[in-house]
Amino acid sequence: MAAQAGSAPRRRGARTTALVAAALLLAGCQSPPRADPAPTEVVVRPSSDSAASTVSFAPLRGTPADAAALAHPSLAVKIDNHEEARPQIALNRTDIVFEELVEGGLTRYVAIWHSDVPDEVGPVRSIRPMDPDIASPFGGIIAYSGGQDQFVAMMMATPLLNIVFDYDETGLFFRADERPGPHDVILESAEAVSRNAALAPPPVQFAYGTADPLAAPALAAVPTSRVDLVFSEGRFPAWEWDAAASVWLRSQEGSPDTEASGERVRATNIVTMRVAIDWRYGEVPKTVMIGSGEAWVSAGGRTAHGTWTKDAAGAPIILTADDGSPLRLAPGNTWVELVPSEGSATFTP
């Protein structure tokens, strides 16, 4: 897929606004990986003789939503998690976030927005070799700042529409003066979705249940007040259950994790997947996403054990409980923690 040559990016801050540079690289098209309609529509027939009504659900959250408001593609963005990139913008408005190991023992995020797309997100960073396997099931748009040629080529080969900072000429990216480089690239996310609104919405990725989806005795879920994860010596996030708010609150390396709004980063569901790491790319680790492994779902102050499976790059992740039933999530946003097999996951009652 052809790219045009470009020039330099603009900066925008409290006092300075400059022109954005370079050429637009829009590769791929909308080809949803599954034929599922999105958003999901359920016909509800009241007990009276009144006409049937239709209730729509956000495909990536499982929450009731207006179907017309969801008639647009999802936006996946590669988000920086270096200390100088924090606080990130609008993480609490995501539908799903994947945390992955990258070189140097650091982590980065593939964050997906669909039901609530903010005006701006970031900081945006470069692609890694596992990202095509993570993002492909969602269809729609993928935005990132660049990357090694081989990794960019891998992403370009997916059905996703690629928007790349290195080649943008339309002003969708800018550099924020108040942030240090290279942790300063911001995407005008709502505009990116608006310009590509004709692309298909994402298909459903996970199964959803009630606000307490792990209550069935057969799931053998255990009460959980805290989830501690170790990706490396330098990255050990944790989640604490806030029963009053019915959310998990995030910490990183022992300190509360906040986003740019000042709010603590939070999630309704934590999906922890034990994953292998492929070192074929030298110092750049590739999380192995196609296959199967151990999994835990933490929701409603409980954690249930099971397995994850993913059959192909474009296939969704399937979560199965130890008793063979589906591991369902609570309606709301989800963080997927891709913990290396050399790392650890601890669930405290």
Side-chain angles (χ1 to χ4, degrees), residues 1-146:
M1 302 176 185
Q4 301 173 348
S7 54
R10 64 183 164 124
R11 298 192 66 88
R12 188 172 77 184
R15 299 179 299 275
T16 308
T17 302
L19 294 177
V20 166
L24 176 65
L25 181 51
L26 296 179
C29 61
Q30 81 280 19
S31 253
R34 298 192 300 167
D36 314 47
T40 302
E41 292 189 346
V42 178
V43 176
V44 179
R45 294 191 177 276
S47 56
S48 68
D49 293 332
S50 60
S53 59
T54 300
V55 178
S56 295
F57 293 88
L60 305 185
R61 277 184 173 244
T63 51
D66 175 28
L70 299 174
H72 59 77
S74 58
L75 171 67
V77 185
K78 193 60 182 288
I79 298 294
D80 198 354
N81 190 33
H82 189 279
E83 285 81 355
E84 293 186 351
R86 303 171 188 168
Q88 295 92 346
I89 301 170
L91 287 179
N92 282 341
R93 295 173 66 177
T94 56
D95 290 49
I96 301 175
V97 178
F98 293 83
E99 184 171 20
E100 63 185 27
L101 182 70
V102 296
E103 59 273 22
L106 304 181
T107 63
R108 287 187 184 175
Y109 306 144
V110 177
I112 295 112
W113 286 268
H114 177 248
S115 61
D116 181 14
V117 181
D119 289 339
E120 298 174 356
V121 300
V124 182
R125 288 304 298 273
S126 54
I127 213 75
R128 290 297 182 271
M130 54 283 202
D131 296 335
D133 294 341
I134 292 173
S136 287
F138 297 90
I141 306 166
I142 178 75
Y144 52 100
S145 66

Side-chain angles (χ1 to χ4, degrees), residues 239-255:
W239 296 89
E240 303 162 40
W241 177 243
D242 183 338
S246 296
V247 294
W248 300 96
L249 299 176
R250 182 175 167 87
S251 299
Q252 293 203 77
E253 293 72 72
S255 298

Side-chain angles (χ1 to χ4, degrees), residues 101 104-106 230-236 253 342-343:
L101 182 70
L106 304 181
V230 176
F231 283 77
S232 68
E233 291 184 359
R235 285 292 179 269
F236 41 96
E253 293 72 72
E342 296 82 2

Side-chain angles (χ1 to χ4, degrees), residues 198-247:
L199 296 177
V204 173
Q205 299 294 306
F206 295 114
Y208 294 92
T210 66
D212 190 8
L214 307 178
L219 296 176
V222 297
T224 306
S225 63
R226 183 181 173 93
V227 178
D228 285 277
L229 308 169
V230 176
F231 283 77
S232 68
E233 291 184 359
R235 285 292 179 269
F236 41 96
W239 296 89
E240 303 162 40
W241 177 243
D242 183 338
S246 296
V247 294

